[in-house]
Amino acid sequence: MAPPPSAIPLFKPSSSPPPSFSSSSLLLHNSMLKRLAFSSSLHRFLSHPTKLLPSSTTTQHISPAHFPALSSLIFRRPVYASKLLAMAEQTSNPASQSHKHTNRLAAEHSPYLLQHAHNPVDWYPWGEEAFAEARKRDVPIFVSIGYSTCHWCHVMEVESFEDEGVAKLLNDWFVSIKVDREERPDVDKVYMTYVQALYGGGGWPLSVFLSPDLKPLMGGTYFPPDDKFGRPGFKTILRKVKEAWDSKRDMLVKSGAFAIEQLSEALSASASSNKLPDGLPQHALRLCAEQLSGSYDSKFGGFGSAPKFPRPVEVQLMLYYSKKLEEAGKLGEAKEGREMVFFTLQCMARGGVHDHIGGGFHRYSVDECWHVPHFEKMLYDQGQLANVYLDAFSITKDVFYSYIARDILDYLRREMIGPEGEIYSAEDADSAESEGATRKKEGAFYVWTSQEVEDILGKDATLFKSHYYIKPSGNCDLSAMSDPHNEFKGKNVFIERKDSSEMASKFAIPVEKYLDILGQSRQKLFEVRCTRPRPHLDDKVIVSWNGLAISAFARASKILKNEPEGIKFNFPVVGSDAAVRFNDLTQEPKEYIQVADRAASFIRRHLYNEQTHQLQHSFRNGPSKAPGFLDDYAFLISGLLDLYEFGGQTNWLVWATELQDTQDELFLDREGGGYFNTPGEDPNILLRVKEDHDGAEPSGNSVSVINLVRLASMVAGNRSDHYRRDAEHVLAVFETRLKDMAMAVPLMCCAADMLTVPSRKQVVLVGHKHSVEFENMLAAAHASYDINKTVIHMDPTNSEELQFWEGNNSNIALMAKNHFAADKVVALVCQNFACSAPVNDPRSLVALLSQQSSSSA
């Protein structure tokens, strides 16, 4: 669907970043890049000048000087997508084939490693066996990093790693290691950071050459197999690296060691003080909003240009800042910011990047109008996007947004949840076009010809095709990619028209009838699509991504109770009997919190050690070897706090506090401030990074600050003060980023402002739980959008709950005991050391919270 990823430093297309691309995660200052680029040894082996990918800072270009063996490896012309897509069509039905080759990856659990278990390449998994072999043979290491649903990883496998000639070169001259970036993000972070810092961008597959002691020698992303159009192929690159290793080894090793040393210094900086300067949080919030507004696409929505990625942290920043403006009485500016968000969410939901038949969102759009997607679906996108659509519904009460939130969550419930409640990672972009086909193609599961739609829908086809812009010639126009041999010629994705009322008038039918026809048509297409060969499912369970999904499911369980009654949902949902149904009128939002509860329970059972209080990172046929990383702790804690605040048991809050203690023990730099991304116990992980970039996923440091603010508002005394001090110290590490490059850290900007709020609003609900009254009062407490609000619920007749609150916040325990009534649920709203008079019905609570918001403004 998109141009091949750049072989950095050897090739970077000027039009767009790699399809499976990584934005610069920790963007280095120009001075650091110059120091890296112009060290005398490094200067000799770096190759082609490149520019940074979108959202990155401008850096000093790097050019070759004294190393012709590598500096000659420069790609100067783009590769047509269709040629590589043809090469990317994969062999399927492996079970029906006898395997000529089997390597060490066959014993692994990772779906990505298993995909390469029968390559002729003598792959090793990441580990001491491979490192020892490289030392023994005195050869460099080739590391290939990707993930199982990565389209361009599949391309490189078919072109190079299944090729006997390429395999012989790799096996003779290198020790080759395969890494699943989702299973080992710590390994990926080291070498992706190296590639990004030195060459200006990165993506997957990530291809890096290392010395036997794991220092990077050179790196890139995707490499085509053969020399074409005057460009060297992968086999040529292997020969050149071999020649350089034989003749320039000392220089290469010194260069790699220097790069790691400089990166380590830059990416583990310490704070110069214990807190941010006064006024900086407000400056950063305003600056980030201004920078995002400056990049806003008023025609097609979104921030920035093609390819367009849904970056939910940008939406979160704009909604948060608009709320602050509203509270300050700047209603016009607040409305302007919100309208940018709402238009963006509408364009995304109506575009082809949204799966209108099965629900959920694809990874990104290759064009500026959210039209043609790259078709893989990632769990981290679904969880975050569901949350921002829930936020939009909370603000507008427009069921368009609640509909999309349900669409995402019911896709996950239907397709991505395992037997014990665990939530899987991703679905591939590629699949076979028909049962028994020997090749896979990107998007085959999702695209349609006009004739297929006509054959399935019959008399309703004209209406449906008009509503979704379906054309006989196809609507996947990739002319912007200069691709004269479009692989998707005649194929359509669904792009929804905006005005159903106008279209209903055109067909002379009531709007309700028009919408029913669309829903019934989608049902028919869904049923037919279910007979197609499905894309590969990566059924790995990742703690951090489950944390994001837990948050969305928990929040939906109460926010969606504020929808008007009698709404018809014309998309596939899963009922309590696990059957797929359409036009569902009775789908209870409370079922969503059960999904969140089961996912959290799975992690506690299978990926948490009750003795050490530590997490493992992922699960597939058992826990992975990798420990839990910062994101695992931070995202799970965030999800558990939402699970508690939106109606879960107090034990989830207890676990969140325990996990926070462990996170601080493993990752917190108590002297310098900030959280490292890894525990630091593995000597083979050469970089320990303090991540700050809020990209496709938020940074662990940003989420951690928000967690600490929330926890500080729940507990009292020294523990509350401790949480706030830690949050202040974390933010102080990133002072320069907040001051100068706020757009790179939108969620951290929100976190910094949240910490300055003098008194966070508390809503305290007291009464028996598991009742309709309790559910309704909890829904009322969450009816309005207010990030600076904490909801606490307590039943003082429950001894475990009472014990927790008496030990952590005696004021809450006393308040609950004084206001408990056996026959009703009582709510109090507290702020600035004062509490409102108690109320006991949802409407009064909604009115009270609205009044409190007005008075705070």
Side-chain angles (χ1 to χ4, degrees):
M1 290 305 301
S6 53
I8 299 170
L10 310 179
F11 167 63
K12 181 181 182 301
S14 59
S15 58
S16 69
S20 304
F21 106 107
S22 167
S23 61
S24 297
S25 57
L26 253 164
L27 308 176
L28 303 182
H29 299 298
N30 286 350
S31 59
M32 176 54 64
L33 286 166
K34 290 175 183 177
R35 275 199 287 164
L36 285 172
F38 290 98
S39 70
S40 59
S41 59
L42 206 58
H43 187 78
R44 291 188 179 96
F45 95 93
L46 296 181
S47 92
H48 189 51
T50 60
K51 64 182 181 181
L52 286 176
L53 295 176
S55 84
S56 303
T57 53
T58 303
T59 183
Q60 175 70 44
H61 290 329
I62 301 168
S63 58
H66 306 294
F67 201 179
L70 291 180
S71 64
S72 63
L73 306 184
I74 300 173
F75 293 176
R76 293 187 175 86
R77 294 172 54 186
V79 180
Y80 288 139
S82 60
K83 296 182 181 296
L84 285 174
L85 284 166
M87 291 186 276
E89 296 170 348
Q90 303 159 27
T91 302
S92 61
N93 290 331
S96 65
Q97 303 171 2
S98 59
H99 298 298
K100 182 178 178 181
H101 304 280
T102 298
N103 56 52
R104 293 166 185 82
L105 301 185
E108 296 296 305
H109 291 169
S110 158
Y112 178 61
L113 299 191
L114 291 171
Q115 287 174 351
H116 293 264
H118 301 291
N119 296 161
V121 177
D122 188 17
W123 292 114
Y124 287 76
W126 180 267
E128 182 55 36
E129 183 185 5
F131 311 150
E133 181 68 13
R135 292 192 297 268
K136 175 184 173 183
R137 291 172 51 195
D138 193 28
V139 296
I141 295 170
F142 171 66
V143 178
S144 175
I145 304 175
Y147 54 102
S148 75
T149 59
C150 164
H151 174 71
W152 289 98
C153 301
H154 303 331
V155 174
M156 195 163 178
E157 179 190 14
V158 172
E159 292 178 337
S160 294
F161 302 144
E162 291 182 353
D163 182 271
E164 298 278 355
V166 172
K168 181 171 179 13
L169 297 182
L170 284 169
N171 295 340
D172 288 349
W173 295 341
F174 302 90
V175 169
S176 299
I177 298 177
K178 260 290 170 190
V179 176
D180 182 341
R181 68 166 293 261
E182 295 171 357
E183 189 176 65
R184 291 305 304 257
D186 53 339
V187 177
D188 178 63
K189 174 60 67 177
V190 172
Y191 301 110
M192 182 62 75
T193 300
Y194 164 80
V195 168
Q196 287 175 329
L198 294 181
Y199 309 131
W204 297 281
L206 184 65
S207 306
V208 189
F209 296 90
L210 314 180
S211 63
D213 63 351
L214 309 182
K215 302 298 192 301
L217 308 177
M218 65 160 288
T221 56
Y222 162 85
F223 297 109
D226 299 307
D227 300 352
K228 287 184 180 179
F229 310 115
R231 297 169 308 199
F234 188 48
K235 285 178 277 192
T236 297
I237 290 166
L238 295 177
R239 293 188 183 98
K240 295 295 186 182
V241 173
K242 170 71 164 71
E243 291 171 11
W245 177 255
D246 290 342
S247 62
K248 304 283 187 180
R249 179 182 311 191
D250 289 345
M251 186 204 67
L252 286 178
V253 173
K254 288 177 181 177
S255 296
F258 175 81
I260 290 296
E261 178 185 333
Q262 294 296 302
L263 288 170
S264 180
E265 177 184 331
L267 303 181
S268 58
S270 296
S272 59
S273 66
N274 291 327
K275 59 188 300 186
L276 292 173
D278 292 343
L280 179 55
Q282 292 73 31
H283 164 80
L285 188 67
R286 181 178 64 256
L287 177 62
C288 187
E290 290 172 353
Q291 291 174 336
L292 287 174
S293 298
S295 69
Y296 173 65
D297 183 344
S298 60
K299 185 175 181 180
F300 298 114
F303 302 95
S305 57
K308 280 187 175 172
F309 290 76
R311 190 182 174 207
V313 289
E314 296 173 335
V315 172
Q316 289 175 281
L317 180 286
M318 294 300 291
L319 290 180
Y320 182 85
Y321 184 59
S322 296
K323 175 71 171 176
K324 300 291 288 189
L325 289 172
E326 184 180 65
E327 291 173 350
K330 299 179 180 180
L331 303 183
E333 293 179 56
K335 180 181 179 182
E336 185 179 348
R338 282 197 297 263
E339 286 179 348
M340 292 182 192
V341 167
F342 299 151
F343 184 63
T344 294
L345 294 179
Q346 291 166 19
C347 290
M348 287 167 49
R350 293 192 170 99
V353 74
H354 174 214
D355 181 0
H356 294 270
I357 299 300
F361 281 79
H362 300 295
R363 179 72 274 267
Y364 67 87
S365 170
V366 303
D367 56 81
E368 63 183 356
C369 47
W370 306 103
H371 182 157
V372 182
H374 176 54
F375 287 95
E376 65 184 309
K377 289 182 176 180
M378 309 301 294
L379 178 58
Y380 59 79
D381 283 326
Q382 314 309 323
Q384 294 180 90
L385 286 169
N387 264 330
V388 295
Y389 279 99
L390 289 170
D391 288 340
F393 171 71
S394 294
I395 296 166
T396 64
K397 299 300 184 283
D398 185 341
V399 295
F400 173 88
Y401 302 107
S402 66
Y403 176 100
I404 301 301
R406 285 180 175 271
D407 163 287
I408 297 168
L409 296 176
D410 282 308
Y411 155 69
L412 292 179
R413 294 178 69 213
R414 191 182 66 248
E415 308 291 355
M416 299 291 285
I417 294 182
E420 295 185 62
E422 68 275 28
I423 308 178
Y424 298 141
S425 297
E427 285 193 299
D428 205 343
D430 300 6
S431 60
E433 288 190 293
S434 60
E435 204 65 49
T438 59
R439 296 177 181 268
K440 291 185 178 182
K441 292 185 178 180
E442 183 177 7
F445 185 71
Y446 299 101
V447 297
W448 304 80
T449 65
S450 176
Q451 188 63 53
E452 285 176 315
V453 174
E454 291 176 10
D455 293 344
I456 295 165
L457 301 185
K459 62 181 177 61
D460 293 328
T462 300
L463 182 152
F464 189 88
K465 288 168 60 179
S466 179
H467 185 82
Y468 286 103
Y469 292 98
I470 296 170
K471 300 186 293 186
S473 59
N475 64 17
C476 296
D477 181 7
L478 302 184
S479 59
M481 290 162 36
S482 302
D483 182 359
H485 306 290
N486 192 346
E487 275 289 308
F488 291 84
K489 184 177 181 180
K491 300 295 178 66
N492 293 270
V493 293
F494 295 157
I495 306 142
E496 189 172 21
R497 290 185 180 273
K498 182 177 181 180
D499 194 341
S500 297
S501 299
E502 183 178 321
M503 292 299 295
S505 298
K506 176 182 176 181
F507 285 92
I509 57 176
V511 174
E512 292 77 10
K513 176 66 174 175
Y514 181 84
L515 294 176
D516 280 345
I517 291 172
L518 291 178
Q520 293 160 9
S521 298
R522 285 197 299 271
Q523 177 179 4
K524 293 176 182 177
L525 292 168
F526 175 81
E527 291 169 351
V528 170
R529 198 175 81 171
C530 285
T531 66
R532 294 177 173 179
R534 289 198 63 87
H536 159 71
L537 170 68
D538 189 325
D539 56 357
K540 181 167 65 267
V541 181
I542 298 174
V543 171
S544 57
W545 298 1
N546 269 248
L548 296 171
I550 287 168
S551 172
F553 278 110
R555 297 181 73 240
S557 71
K558 298 304 176 293
I559 292 174
L560 295 182
K561 285 182 71 66
N562 294 292
E563 291 173 317
E565 294 183 3
I567 298 177
K568 184 178 290 187
F569 301 113
N570 290 298
F571 57 80
V573 298
V574 180
S576 56
D577 57 357
V580 176
R581 335 180 264 200
F582 279 74
N583 303 337
D584 190 280
L585 294 172
T586 60
Q587 183 75 358
E588 282 289 339
K590 69 180 181 182
E591 293 183 12
Y592 291 132
I593 203 164
Q594 297 168 5
V595 177
D597 194 281
R598 292 188 72 214
S601 297
F602 178 90
I603 293 171
R604 179 138 199 176
R605 281 196 309 272
H606 295 287
L607 289 166
Y608 180 66
N609 186 313
E610 297 285 353
Q611 282 70 49
T612 64
H613 305 294
Q614 294 183 13
L615 293 166
Q616 295 297 113
H617 170 64
S618 62
F619 181 98
R620 188 176 188 272
N621 299 327
S624 66
K625 300 171 186 175
F629 303 110
L630 174 61
D631 288 359
D632 296 312
Y633 285 85
F635 295 7
L636 179 58
I637 291 167
S638 179
L640 293 174
L641 291 176
D642 283 330
L643 182 50
Y644 166 73
E645 285 200 51
F646 285 80
Q649 296 300 308
T650 305
N651 67 291
W652 297 125
L653 177 57
V654 175
W655 192 28
T657 62
E658 293 173 355
L659 287 171
Q660 187 63 55
D661 290 342
T662 304
Q663 177 183 318
D664 293 347
E665 178 185 338
L666 294 176
F667 304 99
L668 182 62
D669 182 350
R670 296 191 181 277
E671 293 186 5
Y675 289 101
F676 291 105
N677 66 324
T678 67
E681 298 171 350
D682 187 345
N684 296 318
I685 303 301
L686 305 185
L687 285 179
R688 206 175 177 215
V689 175
K690 293 180 183 177
E691 178 72 83
D692 65 350
H693 182 248
D694 297 316
E697 301 171 57
S699 81
N701 275 290
S702 298
V703 175
S704 292
V705 171
I706 295 175
N707 291 344
L708 291 168
V709 171
R710 296 174 70 182
L711 287 167
S713 72
M714 292 184 174
V715 302
N718 292 335
R719 195 166 193 182
S720 178
D721 295 340
H722 167 75
Y723 287 143
R724 293 187 64 84
R725 283 196 302 270
D726 281 351
E728 289 172 342
H729 202 191
V730 170
L731 289 170
V733 175
F734 307 107
E735 176 181 339
T736 301
R737 292 281 272 165
L738 289 164
K739 186 184 299 180
D740 299 333
M741 290 202 53
M743 188 174 170
V745 290
L747 193 64
M748 187 172 287
C749 292
C750 296
D753 186 81
M754 289 169 66
L755 187 58
T756 67
V757 173
S759 179
R760 190 175 172 89
K761 188 182 301 178
Q762 291 179 321
V763 182
V764 182
L765 301 182
V766 181
H768 290 308
K769 301 180 183 180
H770 309 298
S771 66
V772 174
E773 291 77 15
F774 174 77
E775 290 288 314
N776 291 339
M777 287 293 279
L778 203 51
H782 292 291
S784 61
Y785 172 83
D786 188 355
I787 299 300
N788 289 307
K789 174 181 67 182
T790 296
V791 176
I792 294 170
H793 49 83
M794 181 183 174
D795 180 354
T797 66
N798 183 308
S799 59
E800 291 184 6
E801 288 191 32
L802 184 61
Q803 182 180 2
F804 173 81
W805 288 110
E806 285 180 337
N808 289 277
N809 193 331
S810 58
N811 291 333
I812 296 293
L814 181 61
M815 189 185 307
K817 287 189 286 187
N818 289 342
H819 291 90
F820 175 75
D823 59 344
K824 58 187 176 184
V825 178
V826 174
L828 302 97
V829 179
C830 304
Q831 195 170 19
N832 296 319
F833 307 102
C835 294
S836 67
V839 297
N840 55 31
D841 68 277
R843 286 190 178 183
S844 297
L845 179 55
V846 170
L848 180 59
L849 288 170
S850 176
Q851 178 185 347
Q852 291 266 339
S853 295
S854 300
S855 62
S856 64

